[in-house]
DNA sequence: CTTGACCTTGACGTTGCGTCAAGTTCTAGC
DNA sequence: GCTAGAACTTGACGCAACGTCAAGGTCAAG
């Protein structure tokens, strides 16, 4: 009793292409190959095919199935491993769903994605209290209007700039660069220029106490883990603070 | 202000290979290509890259991202579509997890996978009551011992045989074959031979009322949708019943 | 002998890059 | 000016599991 490739495909609810594929992989060789090259399968082939298709429906990969069929791995073992992988995938998907929903919600509500945005640049409104407390409600208002007055692209550009700066700081810090070195001082200069772009801060208004402001910011980066995170943690923030201090003393 | 490919990759937390890939796809062309062929990117490129990476983290495909960036599709729209797909995937995964757990449980418990097995062959224990009622507890016991006494491979082989038979019946039925035709009668013969393989049934014991048994079975296939399903539904089951009837009258 | 169904091997396409490979260019130190 | 090493380029294979032509041989029926 033997069947042609099409017959087996029909019986098993699959395609002849799949059977040829399994043959190519050595996963299911035909029981007989006629002189004309036609593949023929017997009862044992069918049984083997059942197992393959069952395991495949459960989501196992063909190499894993091959191991099970070769007796190199137990079915339970293979399935247990696969189950762990499935659970991981479930988690990943759940996280993605949550992220997508969050993003859609933000977009629909007309709210801008700020801290959520890729670089974790910084959340503008998140620091409202601090800003108001330290530099007054007026400063916050101006800063807020400035931010909300930007187009999406401008906002993204700003965030990119912010992120780039943060990345460069972090990079330099991890490389153990000296805060007083030319590289670190160039970064400090960029940092102050970047600060100047934010209205409502002393750096943006002529005549403000820029030096004190910069020194204070440096300390804040170290003290507040939310800021420190932007510079690669406390160590990075300390590097930024030190470099800013050197720069401020010399130039401001 | 422009950056080399490596610099951009670092800033964005990706690789130069990815950037070249995006260039190949036309998704993110460099802002400038120097005479030596080197790619250079500006602020706008960075901003665009941010958006690409953000959407990609959410799981969108590159073509979908391209549409959004080209303004051909709104972000919300794209995300909504993607969300639907994510939910489908979640369902699929959940089903797979359930199946794998069920299978593992069955394997670990030493129980054999029967109805669950790919072909939906038939569940042995599921019909316990019917079998006991119709043919007595003794018949069920023998049948049950027979089944549990088989090796896994033997069980699978039996199921394959069962499935192949069901598939052939279904196929013939859908092709509108005449129940009295040679093809249908050959199937009926196979069917009775198959039945003979099950101990505890009249067909297996010499001298039993095989004819009455086969006729009764035919009616049951039609009456019971659980059996009918094995033959492609009620129509298929009727075809089987008719063919068996012709066969029984002529040969049993 | 022809038609049509079924079979074969070969090879590209899919998704998003990772990973060599081979060759060119830039940068920095001697 | 030379050279090593870093950075850049294009090209192409690999991955998972087949789907889908393409081109051509085989076989049963009329």
């Amino acid at each position: 009793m033997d069947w042609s490739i099409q017959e087996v495909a029909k019986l098993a609810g699959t395609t002849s292409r799949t059977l040829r594929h399994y043959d190519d992989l050595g996963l299911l060789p035909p029981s007989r190959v006629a002189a004309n090259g036609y593949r023929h399968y017997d009862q044992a082939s069918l049984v083997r095919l059942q197992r393959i298709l069952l395991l495949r429906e459960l989501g196992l990969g063909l190499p894993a199935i091959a191991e099970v069929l070769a007796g190199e791995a137990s079915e339970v073992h293979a399935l247990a491993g696969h189950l762990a992988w499935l659970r991981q995938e479930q988690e990943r998907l759940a996280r993605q769903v949550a992220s997508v929903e969050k993003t859609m919600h933000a977009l629909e509500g007309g709210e801008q994605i700020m801290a959520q945005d890729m670089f974790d640049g910084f959340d503008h409104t998140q620091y409202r209290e601090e800003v108001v407390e330290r530099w007054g409600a007026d400063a916050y208002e101006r800063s807020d209007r400035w931010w909300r007055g930007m187009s999406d692209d401008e906002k993204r550009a700003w965030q990119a700039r912010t992120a780039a700066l943060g990345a460069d700081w972090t990079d330099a810090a991890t490389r153990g660069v000296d805060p007083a070195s030319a590289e670190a001082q160039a970064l400090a200069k960029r940092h102050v220029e970047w600060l100047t772009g934010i209205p409502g801060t002393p750096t943006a208004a002529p005549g403000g106490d820029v030096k004190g402001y910069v020194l204070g910011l440096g300390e804040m980066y170290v003290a507040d883990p939310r800021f420190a995170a932007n510079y690669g943690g406390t160590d990075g923030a300390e590097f930024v603070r030190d470099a800013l201090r050197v720069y401020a003393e010399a130039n401001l």
Side-chain angles (χ1 to χ4, degrees), chain A:
Chain A
M1 197 69 158
D2 76 358
W3 297 279
S4 75
I5 194 168
Q6 289 278 18
E7 287 167 344
V8 171
K10 263 193 189 172
L11 282 175
T14 183
T15 69
S16 58
R17 177 65 178 87
T18 297
L19 294 176
R20 276 190 280 271
H21 186 53
Y22 291 167
D23 184 13
D24 288 344
L25 298 184
L27 196 56
L28 181 69
S31 59
R32 182 171 69 87
V33 177
N36 56 17
Y38 285 22
R39 294 172 177 79
H40 293 272
Y41 300 83
D42 60 10
Q43 189 89 4
S45 310
L46 252 182
V47 172
R48 192 178 170 89
L49 178 57
Q50 325 290 17
R51 295 196 65 187
I52 294 172
L53 293 179
L54 167 60
L55 293 173
R56 213 193 57 98
E57 262 187 37
L58 295 179
L60 263 81
L62 297 186
I65 293 177
E67 280 183 19
V68 172
L69 290 177
E72 294 167 14
S74 88
E75 218 153 336
V76 177
H77 184 71
L79 288 177
H82 182 54
L83 191 55
W85 147 262
L86 282 177
R87 292 206 186 291
Q88 268 195 22
E89 279 296 290
Q90 278 191 308
E91 270 189 55
R92 201 177 57 80
L93 271 187
R95 278 199 303 270
Q96 265 197 2
V97 165
S99 293
V100 170
E101 282 178 339
K102 207 167 172 180
T103 304
M104 283 183 63
H105 195 69
L107 288 173
E108 282 174 348
E111 303 168 26
Q112 293 310 324
I113 323 153
M114 297 164 58
Q116 310 308 338
D117 235 300
M118 53 192 11
F119 276 85
D120 286 335
F122 72 63
D123 183 343
H124 189 66
T125 57
Q126 188 186 339
Y127 303 120
R128 183 198 167 118
E129 283 185 30
E130 265 105 334
V131 173
V132 171
E133 192 182 327
R134 283 168 191 261
W135 298 292
D138 183 49
Y140 176 77
E141 281 301 320
R142 269 185 295 171
S143 163
D144 194 49
R145 275 201 309 275
W146 160 73
W147 176 256
R148 293 197 297 192
M150 286 199 277
S151 71
D152 281 13
D153 275 0
E154 286 171 331
K155 282 177 182 169
R156 288 183 211 280
W158 175 261
Q159 288 186 323
R161 189 177 169 190
T162 302
L165 184 58
D168 287 349
W169 273 122
T170 304
D171 182 45
T174 54
R175 280 188 289 116
V177 169
D178 181 351
S181 68
E183 180 180 356
Q185 288 304 297
L187 275 173
K189 183 162 184 289
R190 261 178 71 193
H191 196 93
V192 172
E193 287 168 356
W194 168 75
L195 283 171
T196 310
I198 310 175
T201 65
T203 46
D209 177 12
V210 179
K211 179 174 174 181
Y213 173 67
V214 169
L215 292 176
L217 267 184
E219 294 300 339
M220 196 176 76
Y221 293 162
V222 175
D224 192 324
R226 290 170 305 178
F227 284 98
N230 288 335
Y231 303 107
T234 306
D235 289 352
E238 285 176 353
F239 170 68
V240 175
R241 177 199 58 191
D242 294 344
L244 284 179
R245 187 147 49 193
V246 171
Y247 180 77
E249 295 295 348
N251 304 290
L252 301 178

